Amino acid sequence: MKYMLLIHSGAIDANGGAAECSVEDWMAYDKSVRDAGIYVSGESLADLVTATTVRVGADGERNVTDGPFAETREVLGGFYVIDVPDLDAALEWAARCPGARGSGSVVVRPVADFGA
């Protein structure tokens, strides 16, 4: 079953990365996911200042603003989609993710299969 690991960071360093883990931590995790044969896809998102938010009002009018400006202190930094047997395995991989450390978190969600 496919699961998406949504990686949120609560603390950002001066370079816009997760403050509680290093590039080497991410490289090691990425290698372990790929070596385990469960990697489906994944990306790191560009700097938060490049984000644009679109909202459409009840009148159908589009409103575009710079930045995400969500009511949250966390920043979505990237994701992995993994293919593992069950939720327990997905949770185990999420716990190993450097983004789950300290003020970060990893949200685990099953990927909907509308063809099933």
Side-chain angles (χ1 to χ4, degrees):
M1 181 163 194
K2 292 180 185 169
Y3 291 88
M4 178 173 269
L5 309 182
L6 295 163
I7 304 162
H8 295 271
S9 179
I12 303 297
D13 65 18
N15 298 320
E20 287 112 352
C21 44
S22 68
V23 172
E24 293 78 18
D25 293 333
W26 285 107
M27 290 172 60
Y29 182 73
D30 192 73
K31 182 178 181 339
S32 67
V33 168
R34 290 172 189 269
D35 288 351
I38 62 169
Y39 178 84
V40 175
S41 66
E43 297 291 339
S44 177
L45 300 177
D47 192 329
L48 189 60
V49 299
T50 64
T52 304
T53 299
V54 177
R55 289 185 176 84
V56 178
D59 60 0
E61 186 171 335
R62 183 179 76 168
N63 181 11
V64 179
T65 56
D66 291 336
F69 302 116
E71 293 296 321
T72 181
R73 299 212 186 284
E74 293 182 332
V75 175
L76 177 62
F79 69 91
Y80 278 91
V81 176
I82 59 174
D83 193 352
V84 293
D86 54 35
L87 178 60
D88 288 334
L91 295 174
E92 201 159 308
W93 279 99
R96 293 173 59 180
C97 180
R101 297 179 193 157
S103 63
S105 65
V106 176
V107 176
V108 178
R109 294 189 58 183
V111 174
D113 182 3
F114 295 111

